[in-house]
């Protein structure tokens, strides 16, 4: 039996994505337990910052931490709100400079349709894996988060910026030629940003997930409400565990929830 607070799964890429879940002092390679029956139990909450056991508010944090921490400020979700390049503080200027004033990548990723996104260069390809993208391509590299963010805002006129989780989980193949799409996207960038853009790697990056059976009608597990769930693990995609009965469990959106896990070998 394993027990601990949920944090998003760590990944590494080989032929397939390898998934690791840290629970308490244990580090579990989840690929090895695909085909096993798992029992998950809700055990409470633990804020990822202050360890308080009060209810999680958002992104693995209690309400107080969510509104105070520099890592959960608005510019994280909306890169165009970044201000460190102007030397303006939001919550903690040192932290913001450290994150925002690094090379950022504007990209297209295909999960069930083409979406546009921004991430720190060091997060590639992990950001794409977390979204469950089948493939992805860089549009351009920018010297900071703000420039990548304003370019994304422009491209949102033409592309989605959200992933539909249900469609993502059902999709196993891409139908879009990302290299052509990338060229079209680059031409749509405003002149100010395309002048700042560095073009690196235009080849499509492909990602294979360890999924034995894709769900046809995925239904989301609410472990807080259900308290306990037992079924056979048949795959992992994005940050979701996929079970044989088509129940799916989003690890990321349950960050800060304490669970116990029993692996019942089949
Ligand atoms: Zn807290």
């Amino acid at each position: 039996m394993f027990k601990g607070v949920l944090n998003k799964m760590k990944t590494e890429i080989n032929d397939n994505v390898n998934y690791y879940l840290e629970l308490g002092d244990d580090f579990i390679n989840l690929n090895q337990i695909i085909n096993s029956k798992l029992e998950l139990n809700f055990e409470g909450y633990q804020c990822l910052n202050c360890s308080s056991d009060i209810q999680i508010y958002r992104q693995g944090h209690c309400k107080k931490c969510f509104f105070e921490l520099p890592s959960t400020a608005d510019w994280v979700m909306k890169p165009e709100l970044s201000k460190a390049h102007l030397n303006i503080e939001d919550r903690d200027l040192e932290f913001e400079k450290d994150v925002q004033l690094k090379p950022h990548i504007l990209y297209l990723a295909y999960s069930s349709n083409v979406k546009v996104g921004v991430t720190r260069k060091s997060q590639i390809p992990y950001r794409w894996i977390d979204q469950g993208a089948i493939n992805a391509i860089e549009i351009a590299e920018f010297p900071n988060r703000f420039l990548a963010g304003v370019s994304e805002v422009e491209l949102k006129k033409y592309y989605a910026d959200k992933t539909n989780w249900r469609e993502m989980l059902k999709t196993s193949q891409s139908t879009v030629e990302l290299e052509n799409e990338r060229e079209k996207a680059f031409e749509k960038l405003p002149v100010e940003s395309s002048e700042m853009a560095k073009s690196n790697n235009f080849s499509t990056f492909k990602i294979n997930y360890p999924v034995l059976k894709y769900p046809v009608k995925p239904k989301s597990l609410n472990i807080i409400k259900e308290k306990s769930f037992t079924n056979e693990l048949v795959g992992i995609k994005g940050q979701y565990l996929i079970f044989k009965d088509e129940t799916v469990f989003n690890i990321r959106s349950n960050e800060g929830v304490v669970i116990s896990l029993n692996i019942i070998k089949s």
Side-chain angles (χ1 to χ4, degrees):
M1 162 114 110
F2 302 98
K3 188 180 167 187
V5 61
L6 287 174
N7 253 296
K8 73 170 192 154
M9 294 179 280
K10 306 247 180 348
T11 56
E12 65 179 18
I13 195 150
N14 281 318
D15 298 338
N16 261 336
V17 177
N18 278 321
Y19 282 97
Y20 301 91
L21 185 67
E22 213 177 331
L23 269 188
D25 294 331
D26 296 296
F27 201 61
I28 310 160
N29 177 345
L30 295 175
N31 299 58
Q32 288 178 352
I33 57 169
I34 290 175
N35 258 336
S36 301
K37 200 184 258 189
L38 306 188
E39 181 195 319
L40 301 172
N41 298 296
F42 172 71
E43 304 284 356
Y45 303 100
Q46 184 183 321
C47 171
L48 295 183
N49 182 57
C50 73
S51 298
S52 146
D53 62 2
I54 61 171
Q55 197 177 346
I56 294 300
Y57 181 67
R58 265 181 222 164
Q59 295 174 31
H61 295 97
C62 70
K63 196 166 185 176
K64 183 170 183 293
C65 289
F66 181 80
F67 285 107
E68 286 179 0
L69 280 178
S71 59
T72 48
D74 286 344
W75 58 264
V76 176
M77 294 300 199
K78 294 184 174 160
E80 70 274 19
L81 301 179
S82 299
K83 290 195 177 72
H85 63 292
L86 301 172
N87 225 16
I88 296 175
E89 179 173 76
D90 186 340
R91 294 183 182 179
D92 177 344
L93 188 56
E94 279 316 302
F95 176 90
E96 285 142 17
K97 279 183 171 175
D98 192 46
V99 178
Q100 295 175 17
L101 306 185
K102 293 253 164 74
H104 277 68
I105 302 290
L106 177 70
Y107 63 84
L108 293 176
Y110 185 95
S111 47
S112 62
N113 55 337
V114 181
K115 65 151 259 171
V116 61
V118 162
T119 190
R120 253 179 299 163
K121 193 177 183 184
S122 58
Q123 290 305 106
I124 285 178
Y126 312 108
R127 181 78 195 106
W128 297 337
I129 296 171
D130 288 349
Q131 288 168 359
I134 294 168
N135 51 32
I137 195 165
E138 296 182 15
I139 301 170
E141 177 183 329
F142 294 90
N144 64 45
R145 191 170 183 86
F146 172 77
L147 286 168
V150 291
S151 308
E152 183 192 26
V153 168
E154 186 61 26
L155 292 189
K156 278 185 196 174
K157 294 178 189 163
Y158 311 97
Y159 299 100
D161 66 320
K162 298 265 184 316
T163 305
N164 176 325
W165 65 270
R166 244 177 249 279
E167 294 304 316
M168 178 278 283
L169 288 167
K170 286 154 66 173
T171 306
S172 59
Q173 281 176 11
S174 167
T175 50
V176 176
E177 197 49 72
L178 275 188
E179 280 150 48
N180 295 339
E181 209 55 52
R182 186 234 160 239
E183 276 187 36
K184 285 190 240 165
F186 192 85
E187 282 164 18
K188 291 180 175 116
L189 290 179
V191 186
E192 315 87 80
S193 40
S194 59
E195 276 171 357
M196 295 296 288
K198 220 165 89 186
S199 302
N200 302 325
N201 181 0
F202 306 139
S203 55
T204 302
F205 189 91
K206 293 196 171 74
I207 304 168
N208 295 311
Y209 297 91
V211 179
L212 303 177
K213 182 178 168 273
Y214 285 88
V216 182
K217 275 190 174 176
K219 47 185 187 289
S220 182
L221 169 63
N222 182 340
I223 194 70
I224 298 166
K225 205 169 118 211
E226 304 287 330
K227 304 291 182 217
S228 182
F229 175 79
T230 304
N231 209 261
E232 192 181 321
L233 184 68
V234 293
I236 313 168
K237 192 180 185 200
Q239 281 286 331
Y240 284 83
L241 304 183
I242 303 168
F243 293 92
K244 196 172 188 176
D245 71 349
E246 305 206 328
T247 296
V248 298
F249 185 55
N250 185 347
I251 300 280
R252 183 119 206 218
S253 69
N254 282 285
E255 281 186 324
V257 171
V258 178
I259 63 152
S260 57
L261 167 69
N262 256 320
I263 300 165
I264 309 159
K265 288 281 175 204
S266 51

